[in-house]
Amino acid sequence: MEKTKTPILLHKTKQLSEGRHMENLVLHLDNIQKSFGGLRALADVNLHVEEGKTHAIIGPNGAGKSTLLNVCVGRLKPDSGKVTFDGEELTGKKPHEIAQIGVARVFQTPEIFPELSLLDNVMLPALSKRDGSFRFNPHLAMRNQNEIRDEAEHILGDVGLKEQMGMVAGSLSRGDKRRLELSMCLILHPRLLLLDEPTAGMARHDTNATIDLLKKIKERGMTKIIIEHDMHVVFSLADKVSVLARGKIIASGLPEEVREDPLVKEAYLGTAQE
Amino acid sequence: MKQRFLNDTNLLLVFSAAILLMPIWLSPLGAAYPDLLQKFAIYGIFAIGFNILFGLTGYLSFGHAAFLGVGSYAAVWSFKLFTMNVVPAVFFGVIFAGLLAFLIGYISLRRSGIYFSILTLAFAQMSYNLAYSVLTPITNGETGLQLTINDPRWIDSMYITVEEGLPSTNLFGLKMSGYPGFYFCAILLIVCFFISLRIFRSPFGLMLRGIKSNQNRMNYTGLNTKPYMLSAFVISGMFAGLAGSLLAVTDPLAGAERMQWTASGEVVLMTILGGVGTLIGPMLGAGLIKYFENIFSSFNKNLLHEVFSFLPDGVEDVVVQVVSLFVGGGWHLTLGLLFMIVVIFLPGGIVEGFQKFGGVFGYGKNKNSDSSPQNQAAE
Ligand SMILES: Nc1ncnc2c1ncn2[C@@H]1O[C@H](COP(=O)(O)OP(=O)(O)OP(=O)(O)O)[C@@H](O)[C@H]1O
Ligand SMILES: [Mg+2]
């Protein structure tokens, strides 16, 4: 039953994207497949993201959204297919190499340094970026920290965590950990930012603050993929929306178009709103 | 920044003073004789180096004795082949330990957690067995490597007229036994402490702590963690090699038993006892364990009878019986109890104890509460 529907949708997808903007596609996911044992988490996913745009991916639980990001950052190797960013193939590269290319990610469960202070948490990525591909120069290693410290403080101010910067990161609330992780990604000045449910666990007020912050970054021309269940966030931020269900992209287009798509309502919004 | 730097300077000064004045302030404790003081300094270096790996990265090596042993062998060979001067001996000890650490680290660091520990343990036991059997031409097997009258000592034989009997180790003529030997070790200990301090405060140290806290996150921020881990491993191996060569400097022989797993375990105990990841903890732990080993083990029943002679005869016998379990050959029992108490009540080691103590009594004049803010900053 699904097999008959999908081709039509894919066809429609193509029309929508090709009709409007063909220029400046930086991220390409081509024919990505990934199975865990017998479970097909990703079945032939194709996704193309335009430079500087925010592309939202929505879909029910277990649809394969996080798996898709895992493939992008090198946490998982796809069974087949390839990921290219700005002309460079990411598949097969190690996570640190992908990060050095300029891809940063906020994880679904915050990946922070729980034992270290917030300031150290934000300074560390900057140091990694600077010295990531091993340079052992003790003299250089001693200098130049003040600039990084200043920037880290500034970014913590942006996400609203500056007062707590001496605190140990492990003691933060779930929402604050997310904001911390976001600032750890921002100090890397990534060209591609992947956000896996960046506002989950946040109070409404903080969610709105995060939306504002992400809008601000958009002005700097950073490309973003955002996975969200919160439709308020999706419709405030996304330039385009793709719907992933059971490992397949079933629809893709402008937010309003996708919202009105009856199949999307059935496949995703219908189940999610129960 | 400036403020903290000053604090570090003070810490270094206090540390140096405490080490250099050990012959004075340790004499009421009966520990102020050169042999033991040398051991304090040497095992302090060993533990400080071990802590750079274990304290900062959280990788627990059970094979550091291999580097200690290699340092000793290299130093003795330097005495045999080249000169009795200790400078080349120390140099070779550090270099060879570093090379071995590179090799063992390169392979062991492919795994983490318990598997890493077991790999290092396996390598160290392998080194021990090699030294004991296969490599006998180099290590002189069971007997251990010793100086002999017939050693070539090429450099010495060119400049120094041969004396009767075995020559002694020296630093450009200054004999490295007794107090000069201790001060030589003590100065190297202070240098090592300084290096460790700088590593703890540097971005390199922070990165190692990041790896300990969340290695995945370090990777996803663009850090290739492998070479950093390997450098930490090699640096700590070189500290161990230095300690090993100093053991040979103060007593020029090297045996395979120095590489045995018990020696690897000892440095783990020292570090945990003193406080993992703190700056002065490992030194305290090393001092304490060597003190127990040397002082407690020398207590015998006669001495105990003297100590408890004020008690009535019957009671005295009982008390001496009980106490003698914990001293002499039983000093391990005391150490075991102490270790259990520390691990259960002070998981941060003795340093944590001092911090709590300092918190209760305010910051007093003694050096321990003086240095505790430093250690907090280090964690
Ligand atoms: N490492 C793994 N090993 C085995 N199965 C996995 C693994 N990672 C994901 N899966 C499975 O793949 C499917 C897709 O998981 P994924 O985490 O990508 O979903 P998701 O769309 O992110 O869902 P959610 O909205 O709950 O985060 C799920 O059925 C999940 O159980
Ligand atoms: Mg997910």
mmCIF file of all heavy atoms in Angstrom, chain A residues 194-228:
data_model
loop_
_atom_site.group_PDB
_atom_site.id
_atom_site.type_symbol
_atom_site.label_atom_id
_atom_site.label_comp_id
_atom_site.label_asym_id
_atom_site.label_seq_id
_atom_site.Cartn_x
_atom_site.Cartn_y
_atom_site.Cartn_z
ATOM 1 N N LEU A 194 23.506 20.946 12.976
ATOM 2 C CA LEU A 194 22.448 19.939 13.029
ATOM 3 C C LEU A 194 21.859 19.944 14.428
ATOM 4 O O LEU A 194 22.574 19.762 15.409
ATOM 5 C CB LEU A 194 23.033 18.556 12.711
ATOM 6 C CG LEU A 194 23.859 18.468 11.431
ATOM 7 C CD1 LEU A 194 24.537 17.105 11.328
ATOM 8 C CD2 LEU A 194 22.990 18.717 10.220
ATOM 9 N N LEU A 195 20.570 20.173 14.511
ATOM 10 C CA LEU A 195 19.937 20.301 15.814
ATOM 11 C C LEU A 195 18.906 19.201 16.002
ATOM 12 O O LEU A 195 17.929 19.137 15.265
ATOM 13 C CB LEU A 195 19.255 21.668 15.920
ATOM 14 C CG LEU A 195 20.164 22.888 15.738
ATOM 15 C CD1 LEU A 195 19.386 24.052 15.171
ATOM 16 C CD2 LEU A 195 20.808 23.253 17.050
ATOM 17 N N ASP A 196 19.141 18.346 16.989
ATOM 18 C CA ASP A 196 18.206 17.261 17.257
ATOM 19 C C ASP A 196 17.335 17.645 18.453
ATOM 20 O O ASP A 196 17.764 17.537 19.595
ATOM 21 C CB ASP A 196 18.982 15.958 17.522
ATOM 22 C CG ASP A 196 18.118 14.734 17.302
ATOM 23 O OD1 ASP A 196 16.882 14.877 17.292
ATOM 24 O OD2 ASP A 196 18.682 13.630 17.136
ATOM 25 N N GLU A 197 16.153 18.109 18.159
ATOM 26 C CA GLU A 197 15.201 18.540 19.175
ATOM 27 C C GLU A 197 15.816 19.528 20.167
ATOM 28 O O GLU A 197 15.896 19.253 21.362
ATOM 29 C CB GLU A 197 14.632 17.325 19.913
ATOM 30 C CG GLU A 197 14.029 16.334 18.929
ATOM 31 C CD GLU A 197 13.193 15.247 19.613
ATOM 32 O OE1 GLU A 197 12.855 15.423 20.780
ATOM 33 O OE2 GLU A 197 12.900 14.261 18.953
ATOM 34 N N PRO A 198 16.245 20.693 19.678
ATOM 35 C CA PRO A 198 16.977 21.628 20.541
ATOM 36 C C PRO A 198 16.131 22.265 21.634
ATOM 37 O O PRO A 198 16.687 22.826 22.568
ATOM 38 C CB PRO A 198 17.458 22.707 19.554
ATOM 39 C CG PRO A 198 16.510 22.639 18.412
ATOM 40 C CD PRO A 198 16.082 21.205 18.316
ATOM 41 N N THR A 199 14.831 22.174 21.554
ATOM 42 C CA THR A 199 14.046 22.833 22.600
ATOM 43 C C THR A 199 13.313 21.847 23.496
ATOM 44 O O THR A 199 12.570 22.261 24.385
ATOM 45 C CB THR A 199 13.002 23.795 21.988
ATOM 46 O OG1 THR A 199 12.082 23.036 21.212
ATOM 47 C CG2 THR A 199 13.661 24.842 21.117
ATOM 48 N N ALA A 200 13.526 20.539 23.290
ATOM 49 C CA ALA A 200 12.844 19.570 24.146
ATOM 50 C C ALA A 200 13.261 19.786 25.596
ATOM 51 O O ALA A 200 14.434 20.013 25.882
ATOM 52 C CB ALA A 200 13.178 18.151 23.699
ATOM 53 N N GLY A 201 12.300 19.743 26.486
ATOM 54 C CA GLY A 201 12.602 19.905 27.897
ATOM 55 C C GLY A 201 12.734 21.341 28.343
ATOM 56 O O GLY A 201 13.102 21.609 29.482
ATOM 57 N N MET A 202 12.449 22.292 27.443
ATOM 58 C CA MET A 202 12.558 23.701 27.832
ATOM 59 C C MET A 202 11.184 24.276 28.138
ATOM 60 O O MET A 202 10.178 23.887 27.544
ATOM 61 C CB MET A 202 13.145 24.516 26.679
ATOM 62 C CG MET A 202 14.650 24.456 26.593
ATOM 63 S SD MET A 202 15.205 25.617 25.346
ATOM 64 C CE MET A 202 16.850 24.999 25.091
ATOM 65 N N ALA A 203 11.186 25.249 29.036
ATOM 66 C CA ALA A 203 9.947 25.976 29.299
ATOM 67 C C ALA A 203 9.645 26.868 28.091
ATOM 68 O O ALA A 203 10.552 27.208 27.319
ATOM 69 C CB ALA A 203 10.105 26.809 30.561
ATOM 70 N N ARG A 204 8.376 27.234 27.943
ATOM 71 C CA ARG A 204 7.954 28.055 26.801
ATOM 72 C C ARG A 204 8.854 29.278 26.609
ATOM 73 O O ARG A 204 9.300 29.597 25.524
ATOM 74 C CB ARG A 204 6.509 28.504 27.065
ATOM 75 C CG ARG A 204 5.831 29.191 25.892
ATOM 76 C CD ARG A 204 5.167 28.186 24.976
ATOM 77 N NE ARG A 204 5.968 27.955 23.787
ATOM 78 C CZ ARG A 204 5.707 27.036 22.863
ATOM 79 N NH1 ARG A 204 4.684 26.224 23.021
ATOM 80 N NH2 ARG A 204 6.453 26.895 21.817
ATOM 81 N N HIS A 205 9.121 29.941 27.713
ATOM 82 C CA HIS A 205 9.904 31.169 27.658
ATOM 83 C C HIS A 205 11.284 30.916 27.053
ATOM 84 O O HIS A 205 11.758 31.634 26.178
ATOM 85 C CB HIS A 205 10.015 31.751 29.061
ATOM 86 C CG HIS A 205 11.016 32.846 29.177
ATOM 87 N ND1 HIS A 205 12.287 32.629 29.648
ATOM 88 C CD2 HIS A 205 10.953 34.153 28.834
ATOM 89 C CE1 HIS A 205 12.950 33.771 29.598
ATOM 90 N NE2 HIS A 205 12.177 34.709 29.128
ATOM 91 N N ASP A 206 11.922 29.820 27.530
ATOM 92 C CA ASP A 206 13.261 29.499 27.022
ATOM 93 C C ASP A 206 13.201 29.035 25.575
ATOM 94 O O ASP A 206 14.104 29.298 24.789
ATOM 95 C CB ASP A 206 13.908 28.413 27.883
ATOM 96 C CG ASP A 206 14.288 28.952 29.245
ATOM 97 O OD1 ASP A 206 14.519 30.180 29.337
ATOM 98 O OD2 ASP A 206 14.338 28.171 30.210
ATOM 99 N N THR A 207 12.115 28.332 25.233
ATOM 100 C CA THR A 207 11.953 27.905 23.846
ATOM 101 C C THR A 207 11.941 29.124 22.932
ATOM 102 O O THR A 207 12.638 29.165 21.918
ATOM 103 C CB THR A 207 10.637 27.123 23.677
ATOM 104 O OG1 THR A 207 10.664 26.017 24.561
ATOM 105 C CG2 THR A 207 10.472 26.642 22.258
ATOM 106 N N ASN A 208 11.161 30.130 23.335
ATOM 107 C CA ASN A 208 11.096 31.333 22.509
ATOM 108 C C ASN A 208 12.449 32.029 22.421
ATOM 109 O O ASN A 208 12.843 32.509 21.359
ATOM 110 C CB ASN A 208 10.043 32.292 23.063
ATOM 111 C CG ASN A 208 8.639 31.767 22.799
ATOM 112 O OD1 ASN A 208 8.434 31.007 21.846
ATOM 113 N ND2 ASN A 208 7.694 32.133 23.635
ATOM 114 N N ALA A 209 13.167 32.047 23.531
ATOM 115 C CA ALA A 209 14.496 32.658 23.519
ATOM 116 C C ALA A 209 15.413 31.906 22.557
ATOM 117 O O ALA A 209 16.190 32.510 21.812
ATOM 118 C CB ALA A 209 15.084 32.656 24.929
ATOM 119 N N THR A 210 15.287 30.581 22.574
ATOM 120 C CA THR A 210 16.115 29.780 21.669
ATOM 121 C C THR A 210 15.745 30.037 20.212
ATOM 122 O O THR A 210 16.615 30.145 19.344
ATOM 123 C CB THR A 210 15.969 28.283 22.003
ATOM 124 O OG1 THR A 210 16.211 28.112 23.394
ATOM 125 C CG2 THR A 210 16.947 27.447 21.216
ATOM 126 N N ILE A 211 14.445 30.154 19.954
ATOM 127 C CA ILE A 211 14.016 30.462 18.582
ATOM 128 C C ILE A 211 14.642 31.780 18.132
ATOM 129 O O ILE A 211 15.195 31.875 17.031
ATOM 130 C CB ILE A 211 12.476 30.538 18.496
ATOM 131 C CG1 ILE A 211 11.878 29.147 18.715
ATOM 132 C CG2 ILE A 211 12.034 31.092 17.138
ATOM 133 C CD1 ILE A 211 10.373 29.140 18.768
ATOM 134 N N ASP A 212 14.579 32.788 19.009
ATOM 135 C CA ASP A 212 15.156 34.085 18.654
ATOM 136 C C ASP A 212 16.644 33.960 18.355
ATOM 137 O O ASP A 212 17.154 34.521 17.389
ATOM 138 C CB ASP A 212 14.949 35.091 19.789
ATOM 139 C CG ASP A 212 13.484 35.489 19.900
ATOM 140 O OD1 ASP A 212 12.751 35.263 18.917
ATOM 141 O OD2 ASP A 212 13.091 36.002 20.958
ATOM 142 N N LEU A 213 17.309 33.186 19.212
ATOM 143 C CA LEU A 213 18.751 33.009 19.023
ATOM 144 C C LEU A 213 19.040 32.338 17.684
ATOM 145 O O LEU A 213 19.911 32.776 16.924
ATOM 146 C CB LEU A 213 19.311 32.154 20.170
ATOM 147 C CG LEU A 213 20.799 31.876 20.137
ATOM 148 C CD1 LEU A 213 21.577 33.159 20.393
ATOM 149 C CD2 LEU A 213 21.180 30.834 21.181
ATOM 150 N N LEU A 214 18.280 31.296 17.380
ATOM 151 C CA LEU A 214 18.511 30.580 16.128
ATOM 152 C C LEU A 214 18.199 31.466 14.918
ATOM 153 O O LEU A 214 18.852 31.373 13.883
ATOM 154 C CB LEU A 214 17.681 29.293 16.079
ATOM 155 C CG LEU A 214 18.150 28.207 17.054
ATOM 156 C CD1 LEU A 214 17.191 27.035 17.082
ATOM 157 C CD2 LEU A 214 19.554 27.720 16.686
ATOM 158 N N LYS A 215 17.201 32.338 15.089
ATOM 159 C CA LYS A 215 16.911 33.283 14.000
ATOM 160 C C LYS A 215 18.085 34.220 13.787
ATOM 161 O O LYS A 215 18.452 34.554 12.666
ATOM 162 C CB LYS A 215 15.665 34.097 14.335
ATOM 163 C CG LYS A 215 14.378 33.389 13.972
ATOM 164 C CD LYS A 215 13.199 34.309 14.191
ATOM 165 C CE LYS A 215 11.909 33.633 13.800
ATOM 166 N NZ LYS A 215 10.762 34.189 14.545
ATOM 167 N N LYS A 216 18.659 34.647 14.896
ATOM 168 C CA LYS A 216 19.801 35.561 14.806
ATOM 169 C C LYS A 216 20.968 34.908 14.052
ATOM 170 O O LYS A 216 21.618 35.531 13.231
ATOM 171 C CB LYS A 216 20.264 35.954 16.218
ATOM 172 C CG LYS A 216 20.333 37.460 16.400
ATOM 173 C CD LYS A 216 21.112 37.872 17.641
ATOM 174 C CE LYS A 216 20.531 37.369 18.937
ATOM 175 N NZ LYS A 216 21.321 37.738 20.120
ATOM 176 N N ILE A 217 21.201 33.624 14.388
ATOM 177 C CA ILE A 217 22.307 32.927 13.710
ATOM 178 C C ILE A 217 22.033 32.839 12.219
ATOM 179 O O ILE A 217 22.941 32.879 11.410
ATOM 180 C CB ILE A 217 22.449 31.492 14.225
ATOM 181 C CG1 ILE A 217 22.535 31.462 15.730
ATOM 182 C CG2 ILE A 217 23.670 30.827 13.642
ATOM 183 C CD1 ILE A 217 22.343 30.067 16.252
ATOM 184 N N LYS A 218 20.764 32.715 11.876
ATOM 185 C CA LYS A 218 20.406 32.556 10.482
ATOM 186 C C LYS A 218 20.902 33.747 9.667
ATOM 187 O O LYS A 218 21.334 33.603 8.528
ATOM 188 C CB LYS A 218 18.901 32.438 10.373
ATOM 189 C CG LYS A 218 18.439 31.929 9.048
ATOM 190 C CD LYS A 218 16.947 31.722 9.103
ATOM 191 C CE LYS A 218 16.406 31.559 7.712
ATOM 192 N NZ LYS A 218 14.958 31.492 7.744
ATOM 193 N N GLU A 219 20.872 34.910 10.312
ATOM 194 C CA GLU A 219 21.344 36.096 9.602
ATOM 195 C C GLU A 219 22.808 35.962 9.203
ATOM 196 O O GLU A 219 23.258 36.578 8.257
ATOM 197 C CB GLU A 219 21.141 37.343 10.475
ATOM 198 C CG GLU A 219 19.671 37.700 10.609
ATOM 199 C CD GLU A 219 19.387 38.495 11.872
ATOM 200 O OE1 GLU A 219 20.336 39.053 12.450
ATOM 201 O OE2 GLU A 219 18.206 38.541 12.274
ATOM 202 N N ARG A 220 23.544 35.141 9.975
ATOM 203 C CA ARG A 220 24.958 34.960 9.638
ATOM 204 C C ARG A 220 25.166 33.957 8.515
ATOM 205 O O ARG A 220 26.302 33.643 8.165
ATOM 206 C CB ARG A 220 25.727 34.466 10.860
ATOM 207 C CG ARG A 220 25.904 35.516 11.913
ATOM 208 C CD ARG A 220 26.761 34.950 13.025
ATOM 209 N NE ARG A 220 26.203 35.252 14.338
ATOM 210 C CZ ARG A 220 26.463 34.563 15.433
ATOM 211 N NH1 ARG A 220 27.241 33.509 15.380
ATOM 212 N NH2 ARG A 220 25.949 34.916 16.584
ATOM 213 N N GLY A 221 24.086 33.397 8.010
ATOM 214 C CA GLY A 221 24.218 32.517 6.852
ATOM 215 C C GLY A 221 24.643 31.099 7.165
ATOM 216 O O GLY A 221 25.292 30.438 6.359
ATOM 217 N N MET A 222 24.292 30.631 8.347
ATOM 218 C CA MET A 222 24.629 29.257 8.698
ATOM 219 C C MET A 222 23.518 28.330 8.199
ATOM 220 O O MET A 222 22.342 28.641 8.338
ATOM 221 C CB MET A 222 24.736 29.175 10.220
ATOM 222 C CG MET A 222 25.344 27.934 10.763
ATOM 223 S SD MET A 222 25.225 27.969 12.562
ATOM 224 C CE MET A 222 26.329 29.283 13.000
ATOM 225 N N THR A 223 23.909 27.213 7.609
ATOM 226 C CA THR A 223 22.910 26.241 7.161
ATOM 227 C C THR A 223 22.518 25.369 8.349
ATOM 228 O O THR A 223 23.390 24.978 9.129
ATOM 229 C CB THR A 223 23.504 25.355 6.053
ATOM 230 O OG1 THR A 223 24.129 26.190 5.093
ATOM 231 C CG2 THR A 223 22.436 24.520 5.399
ATOM 232 N N LYS A 224 21.243 25.096 8.467
ATOM 233 C CA LYS A 224 20.818 24.307 9.628
ATOM 234 C C LYS A 224 19.826 23.219 9.236
ATOM 235 O O LYS A 224 18.980 23.410 8.368
ATOM 236 C CB LYS A 224 20.138 25.212 10.652
ATOM 237 C CG LYS A 224 21.089 26.162 11.334
ATOM 238 C CD LYS A 224 20.482 26.771 12.564
ATOM 239 C CE LYS A 224 19.373 27.734 12.260
ATOM 240 N NZ LYS A 224 19.851 28.976 11.655
ATOM 241 N N ILE A 225 19.966 22.081 9.921
ATOM 242 C CA ILE A 225 18.908 21.072 9.871
ATOM 243 C C ILE A 225 18.363 20.980 11.284
ATOM 244 O O ILE A 225 19.128 20.892 12.250
ATOM 245 C CB ILE A 225 19.447 19.697 9.443
ATOM 246 C CG1 ILE A 225 19.844 19.724 7.972
ATOM 247 C CG2 ILE A 225 18.387 18.636 9.666
ATOM 248 C CD1 ILE A 225 20.251 18.377 7.434
ATOM 249 N N ILE A 226 17.067 21.056 11.405
ATOM 250 C CA ILE A 226 16.493 21.015 12.740
ATOM 251 C C ILE A 226 15.421 19.934 12.808
ATOM 252 O O ILE A 226 14.549 19.844 11.944
ATOM 253 C CB ILE A 226 15.954 22.413 13.135
ATOM 254 C CG1 ILE A 226 15.332 22.383 14.516
ATOM 255 C CG2 ILE A 226 14.975 22.967 12.112
ATOM 256 C CD1 ILE A 226 15.107 23.758 15.084
ATOM 257 N N ILE A 227 15.555 19.096 13.803
ATOM 258 C CA ILE A 227 14.554 18.060 14.037
ATOM 259 C C ILE A 227 13.712 18.537 15.202
ATOM 260 O O ILE A 227 14.267 18.932 16.239
ATOM 261 C CB ILE A 227 15.239 16.732 14.398
ATOM 262 C CG1 ILE A 227 15.953 16.168 13.176
ATOM 263 C CG2 ILE A 227 14.220 15.734 14.927
ATOM 264 C CD1 ILE A 227 16.754 14.925 13.466
ATOM 265 N N GLU A 228 12.417 18.577 15.045
ATOM 266 C CA GLU A 228 11.576 19.090 16.126
ATOM 267 C C GLU A 228 10.228 18.408 16.142
ATOM 268 O O GLU A 228 9.674 18.054 15.112
ATOM 269 C CB GLU A 228 11.353 20.597 15.969
ATOM 270 C CG GLU A 228 12.105 21.474 16.910
ATOM 271 C CD GLU A 228 11.984 21.127 18.379
ATOM 272 O OE1 GLU A 228 11.052 20.402 18.826
ATOM 273 O OE2 GLU A 228 12.839 21.599 19.129
#
